[in-house]
Structures are given as structure tokens and as C-alpha cells.
Amino acid sequence: MSHFQMGPHTHSISMELFRDNRSKVIGELQRAHVLSTETKPMIVLQGGDNISHYDTDVDYVFRQESYFTYLFGVTEPGCYGTVEVKSGRCTLYVPRLPEEYAVWMGSLLGLEDFKKKYDVDAVFYVDEIQQRIADNEPSVLLVLTGPNTDSGNVAKPAYFKGIEKFAVDTDSLFPVIAECRVIKSPAEIEVLRYVARVSSEAHKEVMKAMRPGMHEYQAEAEFLRYSYAVGGCRHVSYTCICGAGTNSAILHYGHAGSPNDCAIREGDMCLFDMGANYGGYAADITCSFPANGKFTEDQKLIYNAVLAARDAVCATAREGVSWVDMHLLANRVMLEEMRKGQLLQGDVNEMMEAGLNAIFQPHGLGHFLGLDVHDVGGYLPHCPQRATKAGINRLRTARTLKAGMYLTIEPGCYFIQPLLDKAYADPELCKFLVKENLNRFHNFGGVRIEDDVLITKTGIENFTLVPRTVEEIEAWMAK
């Protein structure tokens, strides 16, 4: 069986993983009554293409479209794939490249090479796709289109010259394949376990190297170095967030306007949200710690409040539990810890009802994780719809948990001035705030703790392996 691997020290991904994914999708299409004895539906997916830097001849480093990865595991651009739903027969279509490409790109793979590399039933050139599909006389082509509820973008349906000559179904495939991606197979779980371990070790290397006076981008560079040099992870799953001091309260820090470019000062809290990507599969881990390796009492107060929220969810999450309830549990525990620390006053249930939880944690508890860092399946047609109440309206899913789901658990506490100003101006919120104590946190920033966890029937399995308690962090950074 062929496999993907970046070296003998890295994880081997068998092409059987993608064959099993195809079988799973076929089985679910049958259960959804897309297949009848009289029809011959065929799945048609189009892979990603190279994208140039604007008008130049320099390309971005290619990364395959996720649904195409899910069914075929193909790493090259410009490809198509088909799956005959009745037989399961899989055909790959690859670009017909000019021979002179070999001068610049190295030896070109032939059709048999691709067939062996990806363990498919047949391989043809893209310019043959219309005729080859016609030879199979499919009753309908199932193409992929549907909304991504995180980005608002729509998956691009496959298109090739002549597709209009076939009956095309744009409705049936998307909800089925998206739901299939929600529950991870045993082989997928092992890839996710590997990339979480690599990312965990990379975070630990960053913590060990951290010193006041460094720049945020140097922490990012250390994470990238370890992930690639040791783990074989050429890609990260998203732009690294390396916020120190007040930047740690900027939820999507690290963007082009703030490219992790600030100096890290003595006394700063660091919030580093970084995840490697291997074979298309994502990790997403956040570590928060003091730059000098030693927590102040105020830093301990906020960190331990967030840690208590994480621990409460980790102890409670399992199959059959509502993800909305987990978000509310985390918020309630965190507010209670802040009340004990005399930053808040009053009844925690009343705080929750008033929406104070969304002032200190404006984002959701976590999200599905897999081939995309915010993986698909959060709000499919059969799922609970997004809530409107502050706080839970930011959740990327409102589903009841099932064994085999893979999610992040990432409670946080942030001192974001526009949100605090809003709370101070609101009589329903300001009564809970102990302003003279909260003023100490004006330039604090924020804390987030993010773990990647597998849901089981009886609990969770946490794939994140980093120091988490105050004592563990201080001991590790002292090395």
C-alpha cells in the first residue's frame, strides 16, 4: 500500500486512509437514498490549483483543497478525481505537462506512477475527462457546493469543458461528505495525534527559548523551525498568533498589520496560538505563560481561572453532552474564579444571564478540527442552529457531542478595553465589576489555554502534551 511520509522519522499516512474515506462517503450516500438500483451516480471533485503572487511567475506554496485531500490524498495541483458510487471505482485525472517541464521540475510522473502513488483504480489526463466520464455513462454527476459557516465562502463545484452535457446534482454530496468529515476514522486519529504531538513539542521549545527582549516573531520562527525540521510539517494550519503584553488580548493578532513584530518585555504575559499541519491535517494549540518564566500573583489569578474552566470541560465532555452547555460551564467556572479573586462581585448566574461572560471571553469555547483548522460540519442542515445570545452566538457549532468528534477546548480571559468600556457603561453589567481591582489589569492582555481533544463515549482523550499548571510551566521554563 502506498503512503505519504516526509521521512522515516515522521508519520506514515497510508493511502488506505483515503480509500476508507471514499467507502464511508459512498455508504452515507446510499443511506441518504442518493443511490438506487437504476442509477449510476458519480462523484466528481476538482482539486486546487497553483496561485501566483498577483501578476508574477512566483507561486504560493501549494496546499491541496481539503475535500479533495479527504477523498484522494493527492498533493499535486490541477487534478480531478471521480468515484463511481455503485462500484467504488476511483479515477484520478492529472495535468498533461509538456516534456520541457522536466528541465525545471524534475522527472515527470507517468500515469502508472500516479496510479501506484495514490492507489487508485485508473489515471488519465485532465484533457480526457469529458470522454472518460462519458464512457462510464453516469446517470448523474455529484459535485460539491455548499457554504462554509465559518468563512461564509462556498465550496467551488467541479467544472470542466463539456460538463454541461451531463446531468449534474449540486445538492446531495455536500451535506454527506461534510458530515463524514466530522467523525474521524482510526487512521485519521493517528495523524491528528502525530501533528498534535509535534505541535506540542514545538510549543515547549518556544517556552524553553523565551526571554524578555526577544521579538514575537522569533517565537514564531522557533515554532516553525521545530515543526518542519523535526516533524516534517511544511505548513502551519493558520497564521501564527504570538501576542505578548497587551497584544495577547488581540484575538487574531499576527495579521499583516501586526506581524508578530513587537519586542517582548519583562513582566509580559505571552499568548502563543500555533499549530502545525501534516498531510493536510491540522493542530491548533495555545499556550499562555509569563515571558520571564515566573508568574506574578495577578498572572496566576487569571491563568488559574482559565485553567479551572478548561479542567471543568475536560472532566465533563463526552458523547451525548451539549457543546453549548460546555461553553456555558467554562464561562461560569471562570467568572466564579474571578469573583473569588475579587475582580467581580455578585451572583455568577446573574452575571451569565446579563452576558458578562462575553465581555471577558468574546469567542466560543472551541471548534471542530481536522483537515481545516475550523473544520466543517458545525451548522449543517440537520444540526442545531447558531444561537443569538451573546457569547454562545460565537460558537462554531451547537451540536451534541459524539464519539469520534475532534475539537479544541480553548477558554480564555481577556482585558479588551472596548469591551470593558461597554460593560462599565451598562448598568446591568457594571454592578458586577470591581473597578478598583480591575484597573490593575489595564495593560494585562489575555490568557487562553487551548487543547486538541478527541471525544469518546466516556470522556475525552487529550492529544495536547504541554506544561499546563503554573508549577509545570515554571519548572519547564527554568530549564
Side-chain angles (χ1 to χ4, degrees), residues 355-433:
L356 188 66
N357 50 322
I359 298 296
F360 292 101
Q361 186 191 307
H363 61 77
L365 175 64
H367 50 82
F368 288 135
L369 183 63
L371 285 167
D372 294 314
V373 66
H374 297 150
D375 214 14
V376 298
Y379 291 105
L380 293 173
H382 68 280
C383 301
Q385 295 303 297
R386 188 185 298 272
T388 57
K389 187 174 180 179
I392 56 176
N393 63 341
R394 296 294 184 179
L395 281 169
R396 296 180 187 272
T397 187
R399 295 179 65 159
T400 297
L401 299 178
K402 294 181 181 179
M405 287 179 171
Y406 191 63
L407 303 99
T408 65
I409 294 174
E410 49 178 306
C413 181
Y414 316 89
F415 298 88
I416 302 171
Q417 202 57 49
L419 294 181
L420 288 172
D421 291 342
K422 174 185 173 183
Y424 287 132
D426 186 336
E428 293 302 312
L429 296 175
C430 70
K431 64 184 180 183
F432 300 116
L433 306 177

Side-chain angles (χ1 to χ4, degrees), residues 44-47 49 79-80 126 129 143-144 156-165 168:
V44 182
L45 289 189
Q46 181 177 356
D49 290 317
C79 298
Y80 291 75
V126 168
I129 189 169
V143 301
L144 182 71
K156 183 180 74 172
Y159 177 80
F160 57 84
K161 187 176 180 180
I163 194 173
E164 61 276 0
K165 297 179 180 179
V168 176

Side-chain angles (χ1 to χ4, degrees), residues 2 27 88 101 153 158 171 262 285 328 335 384 443 450 466:
S2 301
Y101 268 49
N153 295 327
D171 298 324
C262 287
I285 295 170
L328 296 174
L335 293 180
N443 293 314
E450 181 178 18
V466 297

Side-chain angles (χ1 to χ4, degrees), residues 66-85:
S66 295
Y67 285 103
F68 200 79
T69 296
Y70 183 73
L71 287 191
F72 305 107
V74 171
T75 58
E76 290 86 354
C79 298
Y80 291 75
T82 64
V83 182
E84 297 170 35
V85 175

Side-chain angles (χ1 to χ4, degrees), residues 39-105:
T39 61
K40 289 178 60 181
M42 176 184 284
I43 297 169
V44 182
L45 289 189
Q46 181 177 356
D49 290 317
N50 270 331
I51 301 174
S52 298
H53 287 261
Y54 304 106
D55 62 345
T56 74
D57 60 353
V58 176
D59 293 334
Y60 290 97
V61 177
F62 178 71
R63 183 168 164 182
Q64 187 59 269
E65 195 276 332
S66 295
Y67 285 103
F68 200 79
T69 296
Y70 183 73
L71 287 191
F72 305 107
V74 171
T75 58
E76 290 86 354
C79 298
Y80 291 75
T82 64
V83 182
E84 297 170 35
V85 175
K86 267 194 171 179
S87 66
R89 179 177 171 82
C90 176
T91 302
L92 184 65
Y93 295 86
V94 299
R96 191 191 298 267
L97 300 176
E99 289 185 8
E100 66 184 47
Y101 268 49
V103 176
W104 311 102
M105 309 293 283

